[in-house]
Amino acid sequence: MPSHGPRSVHVVDSHTEGEPTRVVIDGWPQPRGATMAERVADLRDGSDHLRRAVVCEPRGHDAIVGALLTPPVNEGSLAGAVFFNNGTYLGMCGHGLIGVIRTLQHLGRLSPGSALIDTPAGTVRTELSDDGTVTIENVASFVHAQDVRVDVAGYEPVVGDVAYGGNWFFITHDAQVPVEMSRVAELGRFTSAIQQAIDAHGITGAQGSAIDHIEISAAPSRADADCRNYVLCSGGEYDRSPCGTGTSAKMATLHARDQLAFGEPWRQEGIVGGLFTGWLTPGLHGELIPHIRGSAFVTGEATLLFDERDPFRFGIPLPDGDRARV
Ligand code: PYC
């Protein structure tokens, strides 16, 4: 356990359509690096105990996504953001970025209008509206493989698409377990079994990228939604929100099947009932640019204290060891 580190870290908590985000605004020494990828590598090497300290028990819980604000790496950007969870770091996080924007507004650092935020996956344009909703113009999404069959221990084989939306997803309609809040424990077992099978069979995204999010699409429960999902995240918890990067990847799979035209709205319901509205626009070079709109609410501000005598001051690691996929 590291003997050094900050005595305290200041955070602002929010939730986006039910999924919590904890933004670190002060106290965590800035990572080194000229790019966001270098900063993630530096954090993993030198400050991983702070990741656990901020989001894991006993201060946090498995569903929290943390966001460390950094100076921007690109000219014209407002800030950088590194997203992390109980197990690892994320390339991008849609609900988390919406929470970051509302946090910056809460702190008086941002007014309605647009701002660019640098993330490890790329620079993302955000738009804060007068009514408090936030739209993100995400990094390009795309489909890597369609109709991939996976033999899953204890279940019928599952067929799904491998797609990117800022993180890598395996997206299936195969609801062997109903996508309902009352079934989240079973959904966790089912999607974990799919994740294990994907790892065991060496199924990856482009250039061998690890797939670390499993998304099940099903019929919506809301009249104003097109689809409801359950998303297993890289740390082993499920996304309470409709998952911004998951909705981005989902829209790419629909577009590839001519089921979603440019500009057509896609209303994605999350497992707890929140809603993101998404749509695609064409990029300059034909890429699919996903737009995601949602709401976040600030729920608290806190100073996290690190007592040198506390053996758990840097959190309780996951039982099977932390995942390091990014
Ligand atoms: O909204 O992109 C997202 C996300 C990823 C993991 C949790 N939320």
Side-chain angles (χ1 to χ4, degrees):
M1 181 187 300
S3 55
H4 60 285
R7 291 262 170 89
S8 63
V9 164
H10 190 188
V11 299
V12 175
D13 285 348
S14 62
H15 80 83
T16 305
E17 308 294 349
E19 175 78 348
T21 306
R22 175 164 285 176
V23 182
V24 177
I25 56 169
D26 200 16
W28 183 328
Q30 280 298 324
R32 288 168 301 185
T35 65
M36 295 308 289
E38 285 171 10
R39 290 178 185 179
V40 171
D42 188 60
L43 289 169
R44 182 175 284 133
D45 287 350
S47 315
D48 209 43
H49 57 294
L50 292 179
R51 173 185 62 77
R52 274 186 269 110
V54 167
V55 294
C56 292
E57 293 180 27
R59 283 185 202 80
H61 56 81
D62 284 347
I64 295 184
V65 170
L68 174 66
L69 295 180
T70 73
V73 294
N74 289 320
E75 214 179 308
S77 295
L78 177 74
V82 176
F83 297 103
F84 52 93
N85 63 19
N86 53 345
T88 188
Y89 301 84
L90 286 81
M92 225 305 277
C93 184
H95 95 268
L97 188 50
I98 292 171
V100 163
I101 294 303
R102 289 283 280 159
T103 293
L104 291 173
Q105 182 185 28
H106 167 78
L107 294 170
R109 298 188 194 172
L110 198 62
S111 309
S114 63
L116 298 175
I117 305 291
D118 298 326
T119 77
T123 300
V124 178
R125 179 177 294 282
T126 66
E127 183 77 31
L128 172 63
S129 300
D130 289 331
D131 66 1
T133 55
V134 178
T135 305
I136 61 172
E137 189 179 316
N138 197 5
V139 295
S141 62
F142 58 93
V143 177
H144 175 66
Q146 287 183 313
D147 296 326
V148 178
R149 184 190 137 119
V150 189
D151 291 319
V152 182
Y155 296 90
E156 295 296 316
V158 174
V159 175
D161 294 348
V162 176
Y164 181 78
N167 295 300
W168 279 100
F169 289 80
F170 179 82
I171 304 178
T172 180
H173 284 95
D174 188 335
Q176 289 180 45
V177 178
V179 179
E180 287 166 15
M181 202 46 201
S182 59
R183 311 292 283 268
V184 280
E186 285 167 82
L187 285 163
R189 287 192 287 276
F190 178 44
T191 48
S192 297
I194 298 174
Q195 177 73 70
Q196 279 165 22
I198 282 174
D199 292 345
H201 293 115
I203 299 166
T204 68
Q207 279 120 32
S209 306
I211 297 165
D212 56 6
H213 289 74
I214 310 296
E215 178 169 347
I216 304 182
S217 295
S221 69
R222 293 172 59 141
D224 59 353
D226 296 302
C227 174
R228 173 157 58 169
N229 67 17
Y230 172 96
V231 178
L232 179 74
C233 299
S234 51
E237 245 322 308
Y238 70 91
D239 195 337
R240 276 67 171 157
S241 86
C243 194
T245 52
T247 302
S248 300
K250 171 75 185 176
M251 291 193 296
T253 67
L254 292 164
H255 188 80
R257 290 190 158 83
D258 290 329
Q259 291 167 357
L260 188 72
F262 285 123
E264 195 181 334
W266 177 255
R267 288 148 311 200
Q268 181 68 60
E269 180 185 357
I271 184 75
V272 309
L275 193 80
F276 282 158
T277 301
W279 63 96
L280 294 170
T281 56
L284 284 180
H285 307 287
E287 319 90 299
L288 302 181
I289 306 298
H291 302 248
I292 304 289
R293 178 175 297 152
S295 301
F297 296 90
V298 170
T299 53
E301 279 192 51
T303 303
L304 310 181
L305 303 177
F306 305 105
D307 185 330
E308 280 175 12
R309 296 163 301 179
D310 176 1
F312 297 111
R313 67 187 180 283
F314 296 132
I316 303 171
L318 294 181
D320 55 353
D322 291 359
R323 298 177 98 169
R325 291 170 167 279
V326 174

